[in-house]
Amino acid sequence: MSIKPTKRDLHSQETKRRIVEAAKELFAEYGFESVGVKDIAEKAGVTTGALYYHFKNKDDIFIAVFTYNDELFLKSAEEFKTSTDPMG
């Protein structure tokens, strides 16, 4: 039996995704040290309170960015392994 996520759960997941995406872009462009939590919140379109609801601190966000990128890489690698297209 699968439990369907609530609207609130979906909104929370979307907020976290936006924060991680914003941080990923900002870290890539300006470097980890130069980016503040307020910068990430602003780019993600959330309040700093919402950001801190989902993440303890900037280091926690960095770990989420790294984990997200790792998951994308593993998914791509799996798709490549099972692809019949010689070009990937």
Side-chain angles (χ1 to χ4, degrees):
M1 180 168 126
S2 160
I3 298 174
K4 186 176 178 182
T6 65
K7 255 184 159 176
R8 184 177 183 173
D9 292 336
L10 294 173
H11 179 72
S12 181
Q13 290 170 6
E14 174 62 15
T15 300
K16 283 182 81 169
R17 185 197 64 74
R18 287 187 6 233
I19 292 168
V20 170
E21 283 289 334
K24 177 180 156 186
E25 291 175 22
L26 291 169
F27 293 158
E29 187 169 347
Y30 301 105
F32 178 79
E33 293 298 327
S34 298
V35 175
V37 170
K38 286 183 181 181
D39 301 320
I40 298 168
E42 184 177 308
K43 182 156 184 80
V46 300
T47 64
T48 53
L51 185 144
Y52 280 118
Y53 175 81
H54 294 287
F55 299 98
K56 288 187 292 187
N57 52 39
K58 191 169 80 167
D59 291 341
D60 199 27
I61 298 169
F62 180 79
I63 291 167
V65 169
F66 183 81
T67 302
Y68 175 75
N69 285 337
D70 192 44
E71 288 170 357
L72 287 178
F73 175 77
L74 291 174
K75 181 180 178 187
S76 295
E78 189 60 37
E79 288 172 2
F80 179 76
K81 281 185 358 184
T82 60
S83 174
T84 57
D85 180 1
M87 298 303 285

